[in-house]
């Protein structure tokens, strides 16, 4: 079985972006600049944002972290986004989700300028994605495409089953895999909590993307021999024997599935790292597009 190691694949993207940033600096230009907004002190969100800020530093991007207490009013957050939208030195804006209950996530996403929507959640970005136009692909599905590309896994003509239909992972992933793109052209089945015969569907799949958030949900008896398995799930499961008191589990039962799959992503160390790589590629593209130097 081929281990789809996110450390290896994300390192390749890191290197590419580091070189591109170095070239910009050599030409006397400023580096790309990502602004991240973090509301509250949710442990997982803190970890994700810290990972993004660290990645920026490693590849030479500028980053700004804006922090608010979870009691912040919606208007204050929207005003800040308006300010970042206007700031010409900022190329990409990300607001770490989830947000506290008093704030509408939809309103916040809508308020980000589509030119700086490096998370790819804005309705304009999503509409362009559906139409197969150049856009910001949401970071996690983009990271999965980069992973498929790095390991050169053929997808054309295959049957892909995506479990989960969220706006940030499952639905865009299903659209991309069915799109007329290099790592697309699959026949896609999109499953969710109302899917009746899930195991029957996954057993027929050449590719399974599990994004449901149920630790070790997909077992070996649910997959076909030789399938490619992408595990998006990240759940903290209490474990008093672990140094932090919890362990990170994916949606795939790694041990049993690794004996049957042809390729499998680990958790941690798989899709999570590629998500950051996807975000950073989007930030470079935002920078280049804003300077009217659109490249692929
Ligand atoms: P979400 O918004 O909670 O969506 C979960 C989806 O799974 C929903 O569509 C739900 O169906 C479906 N589902 C739940 N239980 C199911 C079941 N028993 N059978 C079939 N479908 C079921 O989650 P998300 O934001 O997409 O995230 C999914 C997982 O990925 C989470 O563990 C999250 O932490 C992780 N994640 C990882 C990354 C990364 O970088 N690796 C990025 C984002 C998210 P309904 O629509 O019918 O409710």
């Amino acid at each position: 079985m081929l281990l789809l190691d996110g450390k290896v694949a994300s390192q390749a993207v890191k290197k590419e972006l580091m070189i591109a940033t170095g070239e910009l600096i050599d030409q006397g230009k400023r580096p790309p600049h990502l602004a991240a907004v973090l509301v509250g002190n949710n442990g997982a969100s803190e970890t994700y944002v810290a990972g993004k800020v660290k990645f920026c530093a490693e590849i030479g991007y500028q980053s700004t972290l804006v922090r608010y207490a979870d009691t912040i009013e919606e208007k204050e957050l929207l005003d800040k986004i308006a300010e970042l939208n206007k700031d010409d030195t900022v190329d990409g804006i990300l607001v770490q989700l989830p947000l506290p209950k008093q704030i509408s996530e939809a309103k916040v996403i809508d308020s980000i300028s589509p030119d700086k929507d490096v998370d790819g959640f804005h309705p304009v970005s999503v509409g362009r994605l559906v139409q197969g136009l150049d856009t910001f692909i949401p970071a996690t599905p983009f990271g999965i495409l980069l992973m498929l590309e790095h390991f050169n896994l053929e997808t054309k003509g295959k049957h892909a089953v995506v479990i989960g239909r969220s706006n940030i992972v499952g639905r865009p992933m299903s659209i991309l895999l069915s799109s007329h793109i290099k790592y697309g052209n699959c026949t896609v089945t999109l499953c969710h909590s109302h899917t009746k015969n899930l195991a029957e569907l996954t057993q027929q799949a050449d590719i399974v993307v599990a994004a449901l958030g149920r630790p070790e949900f997909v077992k070996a008896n649910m997959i076909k021999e030789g399938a490619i398995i992408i595990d998006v799930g990240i759940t903290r499961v209490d474990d008093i024997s672990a140094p932090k008191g919890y362990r990170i589990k994916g949606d795939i039962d790694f041990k049993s599935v690794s004996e049957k799959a042809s390729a499998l992503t680990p958790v941690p160390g798989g899709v999570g790292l590629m998500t950051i790589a996807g975000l950073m590629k989007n930030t470079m593209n935002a920078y280049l597009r804003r300077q009217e130097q659109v490249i692929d």
Side-chain angles (χ1 to χ4, degrees):
M1 188 214 58
L2 172 66
L3 183 74
L4 303 175
D5 190 337
K7 283 188 219 104
V8 174
S10 72
Q11 190 61 37
V13 177
K14 188 178 271 185
K15 207 170 160 191
E16 174 199 320
L17 293 175
M18 211 187 274
I19 292 169
T21 308
E23 283 171 3
L24 292 170
I25 305 292
D26 289 346
Q27 291 163 23
K29 295 178 179 161
R30 66 167 179 84
H33 180 185
L34 176 68
V37 181
L38 177 59
V39 180
N41 49 9
N42 171 289
S45 294
E46 293 263 5
T47 308
Y48 297 147
V49 170
K52 292 165 189 175
V53 169
K54 182 165 170 263
F55 201 116
C56 280
E58 285 167 355
I59 59 177
Y61 286 9
Q62 186 185 344
S63 70
T64 298
L65 175 56
V66 184
R67 297 195 66 131
Y68 289 108
D70 61 5
T71 49
I72 187 184
E73 293 295 328
E74 187 178 87
K75 184 173 181 313
E76 194 179 347
L77 182 55
L78 293 175
D79 287 348
K80 184 70 198 178
I81 294 169
E83 187 189 313
L84 294 170
N85 282 339
K86 277 197 209 119
D87 186 339
D88 258 348
T89 69
V90 170
D91 302 296
I93 302 169
L94 84 83
V95 178
Q96 188 66 44
L97 303 179
L99 292 169
K101 288 198 172 49
Q102 74 276 17
I103 298 175
S104 157
E105 286 188 358
K107 251 194 210 174
V108 168
I109 289 168
D110 249 15
S111 73
I112 296 172
S113 163
D115 294 343
K116 300 188 178 186
D117 176 39
V118 287
D119 256 339
F121 299 159
H122 193 283
V124 168
S125 303
V126 179
R128 293 184 65 87
L129 180 88
V130 172
Q131 294 195 350
L133 301 171
D134 190 26
T135 188
F136 295 114
I137 301 172
T140 301
F142 191 15
I144 294 171
L145 292 185
L146 294 170
M147 174 83 96
L148 294 171
E149 185 182 1
H150 181 84
F151 291 99
N152 196 20
L153 297 171
E154 177 71 74
T155 56
K156 190 166 63 183
K158 294 197 168 156
H159 179 204
V161 169
V162 178
I163 315 174
R165 57 176 164 182
S166 73
N167 287 339
I168 63 168
V169 189
R171 192 174 297 281
M173 193 70 238
S174 70
I175 293 165
L176 288 161
L177 284 171
S178 67
S179 296
H180 190 69
I181 55 175
K182 181 136 190 243
Y183 292 91
N185 287 312
C186 289
T187 302
V188 177
T189 304
L190 179 57
C191 302
H192 45 76
S193 67
H194 298 282
T195 300
K196 289 213 165 73
N197 49 348
L198 183 68
E200 272 174 47
L201 295 165
T202 52
Q203 280 158 4
Q204 294 169 38
D206 304 305
I207 300 170
V208 175
V209 179
L212 67 160
R214 303 273 181 276
E216 299 179 337
F217 179 91
V218 177
K219 311 280 184 202
N221 63 4
M222 292 173 69
I223 68 151
K224 184 163 90 172
E225 191 81 44
I228 295 169
I229 312 290
I230 308 290
D231 191 351
V232 183
I234 297 180
T235 307
R236 288 184 176 194
V237 177
D238 291 342
D239 182 344
I240 47 164
S241 71
K244 290 184 177 166
Y246 65 85
R247 285 188 200 282
I248 301 292
K249 296 271 184 198
D251 290 342
I252 304 289
D253 178 21
F254 188 90
K255 198 163 177 287
S256 71
V257 168
S258 63
E259 283 162 23
K260 210 168 170 188
S262 64
L264 172 61
T265 62
V267 175
V271 172
L273 294 173
M274 297 313 294
T275 294
I276 304 186
L279 174 74
M280 295 302 155
K281 281 202 83 140
N282 277 342
T283 305
M284 176 60 87
N285 281 332
Y287 172 97
L288 295 172
R289 277 178 207 160
R290 293 183 63 251
Q291 306 209 0
E292 295 177 328
Q293 295 177 15
V294 183
I295 57 153
D296 265 346

